[in-house]
Amino acid sequence: MQKTTYILPVLVIVLVAALSSVFVVDEREKALVLQFGQIKAVKEDPGLAFKIPLIQEVVRYDDRILSLDTETIEVTPSDDRRLVVDAFARYRIANVVQFRQAVSTGGTAQAERLLQGILNNTIRGVLGADQVTSDTILSEDRRELMTRIRDQARAEALSLGLDVVDVRLKQTNLPAQNLEATFARMRAEREREAADEIARGNEAAQRVRALADRTVVETMSEADKEANVIRGEADAERNGIFATAYGADSEFFAFYRSLQAYEKALKGGNSTMVMTPDSQFFDYFKSETAGPAGQ
């Protein structure tokens, strides 16, 4: 009876001690075994692990990739146009021993405060470097700048046991007090470009109209030239016909030409003419054998 009374508590104590000496490391975390604040073991692989009960303790850290949003800061590129910038970073605990030594009991919260300071200083340094303007930051070169920020931040964060996986710039805007002035300047630039386009359009329209007018003049001149040539050829042909007719029957030709002269003279209701009595114009009205009126 007395043996049973002693054995049972001993078994309970042994069982509790055995259970408290075993712990499980999850695949999403790393663990440190501490003894009076000193690191005694590092458990990075998932599975069962052991520690000394009551004397040692286990501290666990997240082994996954974590995100950190930086606070909004103002940077001044080389063109002196201030920008409001914030970013986010993805990082992971690469060296858990160095991480513990860097942040002590502060854990991830302390690490993120330190990392945020590193990121802010790096962002100011990279975006404020020579040859980096606000236009550069807003252009396709932004990707190269983010890579530069990541590399520099990663080099400094290694002292904390952290590996900076990626850094991205989120907001890149002008400060509120500069927005109105910037919009006004952009509006003036767009209006000036529009005025230039209108002026160039008017100039092009004038050139087109001048070319069209010149084409019209040249076409009309060429048409008049061709018409005069045709008219001259027609007159020559007509005169040839007249000459042939005159050679065939001069009396009939004279009579025909007189009739043409009468028609032209009396055309349009003009029935009044003042002539001397001996004018040859009406010779065919006086005698059948008189000379022609058109001669």
Side-chain angles (χ1 to χ4, degrees):
M1 182 64 183
Q2 290 181 349
K3 289 183 179 180
T4 305
T5 304
Y6 290 108
I7 290 175
L8 184 58
V10 171
L11 291 176
V12 172
I13 293 173
V14 171
L15 179 60
V16 172
L19 292 177
S20 62
S21 65
V22 178
F23 64 95
V24 178
V25 178
D26 192 271
E27 59 185 0
R28 297 167 296 179
E29 62 186 14
K30 296 177 180 179
L32 291 178
V33 178
L34 304 179
Q35 181 174 332
F36 305 116
Q38 300 298 317
I39 300 174
K40 294 300 181 181
V42 179
K43 304 296 182 183
E44 295 184 341
D45 297 328
L48 290 176
F50 300 93
K51 66 181 182 65
I52 301 175
L54 302 178
I55 298 177
Q56 295 182 337
E57 61 174 338
V58 177
V59 179
R60 304 171 189 273
Y61 296 104
D62 202 326
D63 193 33
R64 296 173 295 181
I65 294 178
L66 306 175
S67 296
L68 172 64
D69 292 326
T70 67
E71 60 185 9
T72 302
I73 61 174
E74 286 192 4
V75 298
T76 305
S78 58
D79 58 354
D80 292 332
R81 294 174 62 186
R82 291 189 304 165
L83 295 175
V84 176
V85 176
D86 60 9
F88 77 92
R90 293 190 300 165
Y91 71 98
R92 62 187 295 271
I93 300 174
N95 188 326
V96 68
V97 175
Q98 196 169 5
F99 178 80
R100 174 70 185 188
Q101 293 172 346
V103 303
S104 186
T105 58
T108 304
Q110 176 65 11
E112 289 189 345
R113 282 193 292 271
L114 297 174
L115 180 59
Q116 181 159 270
I118 292 174
L119 290 171
N120 289 344
N121 292 334
T122 305
I123 291 171
R124 285 194 177 96
V126 172
L127 301 187
D130 292 338
Q131 310 300 326
V132 176
T133 66
S134 56
D135 292 336
T136 304
I137 297 172
L138 299 175
S139 69
E140 295 180 353
D141 295 335
R142 179 190 183 100
R143 182 181 298 277
E144 191 273 336
L145 294 175
M146 291 189 294
T147 302
R148 196 185 307 174
I149 292 172
R150 182 202 62 190
D151 294 342
Q152 294 185 13
R154 173 183 290 170
E156 293 191 37
L158 289 177
S159 61
L160 302 177
L162 301 178
D163 178 25
V164 178
V165 178
D166 193 14
V167 176
R168 297 285 177 176
L169 295 176
K170 294 191 301 181
Q171 175 186 209
T172 308
N173 295 325
L174 293 170
Q177 60 271 26
N178 293 350
L179 284 178
E180 187 61 32
T182 301
F183 288 153
R185 185 175 66 254
M186 293 174 64
R187 189 181 302 110
E189 290 177 355
R190 298 293 89 77
E191 290 176 351
R192 179 180 55 78
E193 291 176 358
D196 291 343
E197 290 294 333
I198 292 174
R200 283 195 288 271
N202 291 333
E203 182 180 354
Q206 290 179 353
R207 286 199 300 270
V208 172
R209 280 195 288 269
L211 179 60
D213 293 341
R214 178 182 175 182
T215 303
V216 170
V217 171
E218 291 177 350
T219 303
M220 293 296 294
S221 177
E222 186 67 22
D224 290 341
K225 178 182 177 181
E226 293 180 0
N228 290 331
V229 170
I230 294 173
R231 191 178 296 109
E233 293 175 350
D235 290 343
E237 184 177 359
R238 182 197 61 183
N239 292 334
I241 294 173
F242 283 162
T244 302
Y246 182 78
D249 189 345
S250 59
E251 181 62 22
F252 176 76
F253 180 77
F255 176 70
Y256 175 72
R257 294 286 290 171
S258 296
L259 292 180
Q260 286 186 325
Y262 296 152
E263 182 181 8
K264 292 181 179 178
L266 300 176
K267 190 174 182 179
N270 182 20
S271 61
T272 303
M273 291 183 290
V274 179
M275 296 182 180
T276 58
D278 56 347
S279 174
Q280 295 181 353
F281 186 76
F282 293 110
D283 284 349
Y284 278 101
F285 288 97
K286 298 176 182 176
S287 172
E288 294 180 355
T289 58
Q295 291 181 348

